[in-house]
Amino acid sequence: MLPPVHPQTLADVSEDDLLALIFPSLPTNDSVLVGPGDDTAQLATGSGAVLATTDAMVLGRDWRDEWSTGEDVGRKCVAQNVADIAAMGGVTTGLLITLVAAPETNVAWVQSFTKGLVAAAGEIGVAVLGGDLSSAPAGVRMISVTALGETEVPVVHRSGATPGDVIAFAGSLGRSAAGLELLQRGTPDLAPELVAYHCRPRAAYEQGPVAARCGATAMLDLSDGLVRDLGRIAKASGVRAQLDGAALAPFVEALATAVGEEARACVLTGGEEHSLLATFPDRGAVPEGWHVLGTVGEGAGVVLDGELQHGGGWDHFAG
Amino acid sequence: MLPPVHPQTLADVSEDDLLALIFPSLPTNDSVLVGPGDDTAQLATGSGAVLATTDAMVLGRDWRDEWSTGEDVGRKCVAQNVADIAAMGGVTTGLLITLVAAPETNVAWVQSFTKGLVAAAGEIGVAVLGGDLSSAPAGVRMISVTALGETEVPVVHRSGATPGDVIAFAGSLGRSAAGLELLQRGTPDLAPELVAYHCRPRAAYEQGPVAARCGATAMLDLSDGLVRDLGRIAKASGVRAQLDGAALAPFVEALATAVGEEARACVLTGGEEHSLLATFPDRGAVPEGWHVLGTVGEGAGVVLDGELQHGGGWDHFAG
């Protein structure tokens, strides 16, 4: 093969390709109970264990100052990390926060961010353990959060789904994407509650440990869209995920008044919802408050009423 | 007081001022064994406990691509986080890595970065547990690392120094700053070993647990300069740190050939050295390989041969 004319950049590869380049070489040791590739890692700590996950937010990519206050960003960065701990069946106990910001950043923004962070963490009993502050080039602001947690039951991986299992979720579908759609259209007043959910998601964290105790066989939180995230369970478990259109219909319908034709895409591929998606051995095991969306079968990929669904959802680098 | 004419920005306040604005409000809970303000936090995990710290590196602020390869950056981000765990008396067991990079970033750079990360972690038995990838605006690249660790002895805080203690360090002084100085002068060939230390510091991590077992009363790693970091121990402990010029002289002398008059500033205020600085109850308690630099007295601040030293070292936001 001829060498490429220009060096390959991140814009030329998908996030998954890049992860595949990085993951095989990562060092491990005897303390690692769960390594890379799940919602969180788990590390032995003497006689105990800690769940650990990290997630970043970048100005202009993950939020815009016109649409989100500092307080919103503070709340959102808590939500997305705590949801990852919940998706293993765990409870978050502490957070580390890194703020990298350009010198022209207003102190008032940092105070507003801290207010949201403190409120979101405090409401669910999570401690802020510390962090790091660093300056950035003009125009740049980003947050990196690490959440630490624990679980009283064995963790729920993405890889445990088997044919015959039932697919269900706790929380909402497509609300964050619908809220973003309204902001992009300039019509946030059509459904302020959807816009509020986009800016300040609040996932059903407490349902993570509930699902684990009820015997969930696989679980994750909806970060990048239902089809894409369900595809991750299907791939990790070596199964086919079969969505039932009739079960999804009420959730599409609920968004139709606000975003019309886009409602279906919001439900199937909308990211940043942070609801919990899990598989259970049978309908009887599905906890109260969870919504059944389909079943697990033999094969691969995600199908909706028998039709294979492709990709969708968010990729950080794909052009 | 009249309101300010323009909103206050991060350029108008010091890092310490900003931290003081943020810290008092942070939520805590019963799991927090060590909270914000030390080298790491410590969180209870069932019957065990985990040390946790986070540190970021930003292109153009913490490294330049002309001077540091991806591999250098990968090694350095491991070193600075592992040094923080060591400074509590702990051993690092796992790392979480977040890479936020502009789409024009070369895949080859990411591979080089991963190589350095994997090598530095692997050499000291540290696992890479996972992380996060995110895209950034053009020209932006940054790394955020969280290190998790454990300790078999009680952690060593910054606040335990008392009058009569002896001040000592393990590792080197001013080498990173001298290496940076040579890069800035365009004469790296004058002392390639100093430039190498700047780009790929390798602190005396294993001396952290040694110092803890020998009864160190306070400890931290040299991130922001000897005077500034020693001032942190002095402030946290409510004591005066008394440096002995004769004890520092050999370390200044060792850099004089390479950087001339700047050698003294490198030793006193050079950052990113990541050597361990500690106080011990008496000279007999100072472990082998540690260098005594002075004593702890009554009062406040840092003095050198009786003369009060002011500030110096690195502040992220100060104009």
Side-chain angles (χ1 to χ4, degrees):
Chain A
M1 212 170 93
L2 290 172
V5 177
H6 62 88
Q8 204 175 30
T9 70
L10 297 189
D12 304 324
V13 297
S14 73
E15 200 175 329
D16 286 348
D17 290 341
L18 192 61
L19 290 172
L21 275 178
I22 296 172
F23 272 177
S25 69
L26 298 181
T28 188
N29 61 34
D30 291 345
S31 297
V32 179
L33 305 177
V34 179
D38 225 308
D39 288 82
T40 84
Q42 190 183 34
L43 189 71
T45 55
S47 52
V50 65
L51 299 169
T53 182
T54 191
D55 222 345
M57 289 183 71
V58 181
L59 175 64
R61 295 295 190 277
D62 298 294
W63 88 89
R64 289 170 59 167
D65 282 339
E66 309 90 279
W67 295 344
S68 295
T69 64
E71 193 174 341
D72 291 340
V73 175
R75 284 186 169 273
K76 194 167 186 166
C77 76
V78 172
Q80 63 189 21
N81 281 280
V82 171
D84 279 325
I85 299 279
M88 302 297 281
V91 173
T92 303
T93 50
L95 300 173
L96 293 164
I97 314 288
T98 292
L99 169 63
V100 178
E104 82 272 8
T105 304
N106 285 344
V107 170
W109 187 91
V110 178
Q111 290 177 299
S112 173
F113 166 77
T114 305
K115 185 180 171 190
L117 167 73
V118 163
E123 284 164 12
I124 53 173
V126 174
V128 176
L129 300 169
D132 190 27
L133 284 172
S134 194
S135 63
V140 174
R141 206 177 322 139
M142 59 144 297
I143 319 290
S144 174
V145 175
T146 294
L148 303 176
E150 54 186 354
T151 170
E152 288 174 2
V153 287
V155 295
V156 183
H157 296 271
R158 297 178 174 188
S159 56
T162 55
D165 283 359
V166 170
I167 300 166
F169 83 99
S172 53
L173 287 179
R175 289 171 65 85
S176 178
L180 177 59
E181 178 72 21
L182 292 178
L183 286 167
Q184 286 168 336
R185 289 182 189 175
T187 58
D189 294 343
L190 272 184
E193 73 284 5
L194 298 180
V195 173
Y197 192 85
H198 174 71
C199 294
R200 296 184 296 278
R202 166 61 171 91
Y205 316 124
E206 63 286 356
Q207 291 298 319
V210 170
R213 281 195 296 271
C214 289
T217 53
M219 184 156 54
L220 47 60
D221 82 297
L222 289 175
S223 301
D224 299 329
L226 176 61
V227 169
R228 194 176 170 107
D229 286 321
L230 191 53
R232 290 177 168 144
I233 287 181
K235 189 174 178 185
S237 300
V239 297
R240 165 164 287 192
Q242 303 164 156
L243 289 169
D244 174 9
L248 285 173
F251 303 100
V252 175
E253 188 62 30
L255 301 176
T257 312
V259 296
E261 294 287 311
E262 279 299 306
R264 186 181 154 90
C266 288
V267 165
L268 288 175
T269 63
E272 299 190 300
E273 194 73 6
H274 303 302
S275 298
L276 297 175
L277 181 70
T279 55
F280 296 91
D282 53 55
R283 277 184 183 258
V286 176
E288 199 179 335
W290 285 65
H291 309 276
V292 172
L293 290 181
T295 54
V296 175
E298 308 263 359
V302 178
V303 297
L304 171 56
D305 292 339
E307 196 172 322
L308 197 62
Q309 303 294 302
H310 288 287
W314 177 252
D315 191 299
H316 275 290
F317 298 106
Chain B
M1 211 170 95
L2 289 172
V5 177
H6 63 87
Q8 203 176 30
T9 70
L10 297 189
D12 304 323
V13 297
S14 73
E15 199 175 331
D16 286 347
D17 290 340
L18 192 61
L19 290 172
L21 275 178
I22 295 173
F23 272 176
S25 70
L26 298 180
T28 189
N29 62 33
D30 291 345
S31 297
V32 179
L33 305 177
V34 180
D38 224 309
D39 287 81
T40 84
Q42 190 182 34
L43 189 71
T45 57
S47 52
V50 64
L51 298 169
T53 183
T54 192
D55 222 345
M57 289 183 71
V58 181
L59 175 63
R61 295 293 190 278
D62 298 293
W63 88 88
R64 290 171 59 166
D65 281 340
E66 309 91 280
W67 296 343
S68 294
T69 65
E71 193 174 340
D72 290 341
V73 175
R75 284 185 170 274
K76 193 166 186 167
C77 76
V78 172
Q80 63 189 22
N81 280 280
V82 171
D84 279 326
I85 298 280
M88 301 297 281
V91 173
T92 303
T93 50
L95 299 173
L96 293 164
I97 313 289
T98 292
L99 169 63
V100 178
E104 83 271 9
T105 304
N106 285 343
V107 171
W109 187 90
V110 178
Q111 291 176 299
S112 172
F113 166 77
T114 305
K115 186 180 170 190
L117 167 72
V118 163
E123 284 164 12
I124 52 173
V126 174
V128 176
L129 301 169
D132 190 25
L133 285 172
S134 193
S135 63
V140 174
R141 205 177 323 138
M142 59 145 296
I143 320 290
S144 174
V145 175
T146 295
L148 303 176
E150 54 187 353
T151 170
E152 289 173 1
V153 285
V155 296
V156 182
H157 297 271
R158 297 178 173 188
S159 55
T162 54
D165 283 359
V166 169
I167 300 165
F169 83 98
S172 53
L173 287 179
R175 287 171 66 84
S176 178
L180 177 60
E181 177 74 21
L182 292 177
L183 286 167
Q184 286 168 336
R185 290 181 188 175
T187 58
D189 295 342
L190 273 184
E193 73 284 4
L194 298 180
V195 173
Y197 192 85
H198 174 71
C199 295
R200 296 185 296 278
R202 167 60 171 90
Y205 315 125
E206 62 286 355
Q207 290 298 320
V210 169
R213 281 194 296 273
C214 289
T217 52
M219 182 156 57
L220 46 59
D221 81 298
L222 289 174
S223 301
D224 299 328
L226 175 61
V227 169
R228 194 177 170 106
D229 286 321
L230 191 53
R232 289 176 170 143
I233 287 181
K235 188 175 178 186
S237 301
V239 297
R240 165 165 286 192
Q242 302 164 157
L243 288 170
D244 173 10
L248 286 172
F251 303 100
V252 175
E253 187 61 31
L255 301 175
T257 312
V259 296
E261 295 287 311
E262 279 299 305
R264 185 182 155 89
C266 288
V267 165
L268 288 175
T269 62
E272 300 188 301
E273 195 74 5
H274 302 302
S275 297
L276 298 175
L277 181 70
T279 55
F280 296 90
D282 53 57
R283 279 186 182 258
V286 176
E288 199 178 336
W290 286 65
H291 309 276
V292 173
L293 291 181
T295 54
V296 174
E298 309 264 359
V302 177
V303 297
L304 172 56
D305 292 340
E307 196 173 324
L308 196 62
Q309 303 294 302
H310 290 286
W314 177 251
D315 191 300
H316 275 290
F317 297 107

